[in-house]
Structures are given as structure tokens and as C-alpha cells.
Amino acid sequence: MATQKLNLTRDQLATFLKNFEQIKQFERLFQVADEISPSTDTVGIQVDAGSAHSAANEALAQTSRLAQLVDQLATAPVVEHNNSTVTDYIDLNTAPFVSQTRRIGWNDSDQTAEIGMEYGVVQQVGQETYARVGNTTGVTIPNGTVVGFVGSTANALLVAPYLADGSSPSLYILGVMTHDLPDSGEKGYCTTWGFVRDLDTSAFSAGDILYASPTVAGAFTNVKPTVPNNVIPLAACVISDATAGVIFVRPTIEQMKYYGVFTKTTDQSPAATNTEYLLTFDNTQISNGVTIGTPTSRIVVPQSGLYQFEATFQITDTGIATKNVWLWMKKNGTAITNSARIVSINLGYGTTTISESVSMAANDYIEFAFASSNVNVTIDSVAATAFAPGAPAIVLSVTQIQQ
């Protein structure tokens, strides 16, 4: 009876054999089996005793090897994918290599593995960290641009050139683009820690601390900004060069602290004795987040935190008898315990100060109230003279001292 050959391919054998050596052994086994299979043509068969004995020994040896392979297969791990590799370690060649997407090699100069990524980006493992970002600004964001968070898309943050002029919170800063990112709907990479190369850093010196610029969106400055601008130390200049400049990105981001200075430039007198009146404000000298609210007696904070309020009041008396004036603070319409100050005045000017630290929630407000034992007093604003500047009725400084 004729036997039918299995004709298994190496790919088929690889589905249950562990390695290429086992595949070769099975192929040899099938070859020997074919050689010793009985012929279908029984006419004229001549048996050579020596050849038969040799073939039998070969078959026995192949059978023994098959038994060994079966034992090995019993203890071999299951391989679910033919392209998987199980190994204790990988040695990377130290010779230079050409980077491309999905390729890993060794940079012997920087002593790190490198991963080739899209846009020609090469990430140095352990020495650089990227954020996946998108661009919907309408224009290409160049390599080396300081960017901030402006939104999100699927699996990425949306970024735009960041301007540190106080218009955007410091917490929105993200890092520096590590390649040109077109406005194409594709995603790219922003360096949040590590080197960015091939920049024009000729305006800086090696070792300069670089801040996000308050005047040019996406740019650096080596001059520390001041209020009302954001102060964000972002990187250090490593190599100063017009085309081959290098910076090391290490953003130092603090929550923005809010502040404001407000004045009252109009007079205010009580209509009745020993009666509460709320003092109003009409001028903002400088502000970041803290504002004059509605009504204008309210000073409103934008975010929670501990705030320091320091107000100086200028008071005048037009009568003869001594008058007592009370001044105090209110939070969200309720008087703050132990915040009152009392000043006695008789013919002339007097000043007093209230300084209190108050824990505030977002959009809470502070007010200042006063009362007098006599109506002939005024919270008085004095105009400038030829020899001195004006003296507001109230000068209030607000400073956030803890987020």
C-alpha cells in the first residue's frame, strides 16, 4: 500500500517546533522515512542485506533523535508569535548606525540607546522625555519653539507658541518643540526634559538660564522677566551657535501667585454716627488676577489661597472735638473677627493701617468698612501739589502668599 507524503513546509513546522535546529531534524527524519518506505512496485525487489541493515540503523538513530525532540518540546515554552524572541539581554553594536523610524541603536558618545521616531526625531533613552502634541494654530511651529497647552485632541495635547506676558497661567507651559510641527493634523513631539539641538542660540552664552519670553511668543530670553509677566525658568544654553546651538530643557514651573494694588481717589464721609459704611475703590494701579468687583467695594480673588491684605487709610477731621473712627474687614459680607482698628483724630490728618492674612476660595471677596462717632470726618484723598504727589484716601495691596 502506498504512503502519502506530508509535505510540511518550514512555516508549518515552526508552529510547533522551538527553533530552526528542530525543524532541520524533523526534515531529516521525513527524508529517511521516505528512503526506507516500502516500494509500491513489488516486482523484481532485490534485498541487499547490507543496505537494509544500514538503513535500519539510520532509522533507529533518527527515531532516537525524534524521542529527544519530543522530550524537549514537552518542556519548551509556548510561542504564540513566530517573530517573538525570549532572551536574557540584548547587546547593541557600538558602531555608528543610520537612524530611522522604529530602529534602536547605541550612541557610544552619549552612552545611551537611541530610538528612531517620525520627523527624524531621535530619542535618547533615559536622557530625554517627550510629550505627544498636536498643532492647530494654522501655521508650522518651528523646532525650538517654547509652547504651552491650549487644548487637547485624541491622545495628544494641543500646543501653541507661549507668551509669558501674564495673559496665560504659568501652569500652561509645557516645553520646547524638538522638530518642526506642521499644522497638518499629525502629532509630534515636545521636549519636556532633555536636549534640543540645531537651534540659533547665538544671542546667548553657554550657561545662560533661559526664560519664556514676555515679548515674543515662543521665544527665549536670558533676562529674567518681572511683574506682570510670567517668570518661568525653562532651559539652559549648552552650546551658543547660529545653527548648531543646543539647549537643555528643564522647566521650573510654579503656580502663578495673584496680586493687585488698588486705590481710592475720592472722598467718603459718614452720613450718620456709629453706622457701618462700605468703602469703595476706583483705581487699579497694577493687578494680576485680583480685581475690583461689583459693587466697587469688593476686591475679588481669582483662585483659592492665602492672601495678605494691607490697607492704609487717610482720615481728616473738620471739627473741634476728638472723634473715634473704626475700620474693619469683611469677607463675603461677614466681618472678620479681630480685624477692627480704631483711630482718634482731632483737627487735621491721621492715618491707620489694617494688615491681615485671609484664606480665600476662588471668587471670594474682601470689603473694608468704617464707622465714626462724628459725621465731621472724611476718608480723604488729597490731590498732588507742586512739590508732592497725590495722597489717595486708601491704598490697598493684595498679595497671594500661598496657593
Side-chain angles (χ1 to χ4, degrees):
M1 175 175 151
T3 58
Q4 183 177 358
K5 295 183 179 180
L6 293 177
N7 293 325
L8 295 176
T9 67
R10 286 186 172 180
D11 286 341
Q12 291 171 320
L13 292 174
T15 61
F16 63 89
L17 295 178
K18 185 176 181 181
N19 54 43
F20 185 63
E21 185 62 31
Q22 292 181 1
I23 293 174
K24 290 195 297 183
Q25 292 292 345
F26 264 82
E27 289 177 336
R28 177 60 181 156
L29 177 62
F30 295 150
Q31 180 181 351
V32 171
D34 289 341
E35 291 174 354
I36 65 175
S37 296
S39 173
T40 57
D41 183 8
T42 60
V43 179
I45 296 179
Q46 296 182 356
V47 178
D48 186 320
S51 298
H53 181 71
S54 176
N57 287 339
E58 178 66 20
L60 183 61
Q62 292 292 343
T63 302
S64 177
R65 284 196 291 269
L66 177 60
Q68 294 175 1
L69 291 173
V70 170
D71 289 341
Q72 293 176 2
L73 287 172
T75 59
V78 176
V79 179
E80 297 181 354
H81 303 288
N82 294 336
N83 60 351
S84 296
T85 300
V86 179
T87 183
D88 293 332
Y89 56 86
I90 297 174
D91 288 329
L92 297 177
N93 196 322
T94 59
F97 70 100
V98 177
S99 177
Q100 67 180 39
T101 304
R102 301 185 304 277
R103 176 173 290 174
I104 299 177
W106 181 258
N107 184 322
D108 210 41
S109 296
D110 293 334
Q111 288 292 292
T112 184
E114 295 185 335
I115 304 174
M117 306 171 78
E118 58 188 334
Y119 298 102
V121 172
V122 177
Q123 183 174 21
Q124 295 188 308
V125 177
Q127 298 184 13
E128 295 173 338
T129 304
Y130 298 150
R132 188 75 160 149
V133 298
N135 173 18
T136 57
T137 63
V139 296
T140 295
I141 302 177
N143 178 43
T145 300
V146 178
V147 293
F149 166 68
V150 294
S152 63
T153 184
N155 302 317
L157 298 175
L158 292 176
V159 295
Y162 186 87
L163 183 62
D165 64 352
S167 60
S168 178
S170 298
L171 286 178
Y172 284 22
I173 198 82
L174 186 61
V176 180
M177 291 304 303
T178 197
H179 62 89
D180 293 348
L181 180 61
D183 181 22
S184 60
E186 300 298 323
K187 302 178 182 69
Y189 307 101
C190 165
T191 297
T192 59
W193 194 89
F195 291 103
V196 178
R197 298 174 170 86
D198 301 324
L199 306 178
D200 180 4
T201 57
S202 58
F204 313 123
S205 299
D208 282 356
I209 299 299
L210 304 180
Y211 302 84
S213 171
T215 56
V216 180
F220 289 99
T221 178
N222 60 353
V223 178
K224 183 181 178 181
T226 187
V227 295
N229 303 315
N230 308 74
V231 182
I232 308 174
L234 195 61
C237 179
V238 177
I239 297 176
S240 176
D241 191 88
T243 58
V246 178
I247 63 172
F248 189 90
V249 177
R250 187 207 60 181
T252 303
I253 305 170
E254 296 182 354
Q255 292 189 44
M256 181 181 293
K257 292 183 179 179
Y258 299 96
Y259 55 86
V261 177
F262 310 95
T263 58
K264 177 179 177 61
T265 61
T266 57
D267 297 345
Q268 191 169 343
S269 299
T273 61
N274 302 325
T275 302
E276 176 188 278
Y277 293 93
L278 295 176
L279 292 161
T280 59
F281 295 87
D282 54 27
N283 181 57
T284 300
Q285 293 190 184
I286 189 171
S287 175
N288 179 35
V290 184
T291 59
I292 298 173
T294 303
T296 58
S297 59
R298 296 180 179 182
I299 301 297
V300 184
V301 301
Q303 295 293 338
S304 62
L306 183 66
Y307 289 79
Q308 182 72 26
F309 295 85
E310 185 165 325
T312 300
F313 305 87
Q314 181 167 256
I315 309 167
T316 60
D317 169 26
T318 58
I320 298 174
T322 299
K323 292 89 176 172
N324 293 324
V325 179
W326 288 262
L327 298 115
W328 66 95
M329 292 177 63
K330 304 181 73 173
K331 175 184 172 182
N332 298 334
T334 301
I336 296 176
T337 303
N338 296 326
S339 66
R341 306 291 187 271
I342 304 172
V343 59
S344 296
I345 190 169
N346 186 359
L347 291 175
Y349 288 93
T351 60
T352 192
T353 299
I354 294 178
S355 181
E356 295 284 342
S357 297
V358 184
S359 179
M360 307 284 284
N363 299 314
D364 278 356
Y365 64 90
I366 288 291
E367 294 174 297
F368 290 87
F370 83 109
S372 175
S373 62
N374 191 294
V375 295
N376 293 318
V377 297
T378 303
I379 308 298
D380 193 20
S381 177
V382 179
T385 67
F387 55 87
I394 308 172
V395 177
L396 169 64
S397 295
V398 183
T399 305
Q400 186 181 19
I401 56 179
Q402 185 186 54
Q403 282 88 2

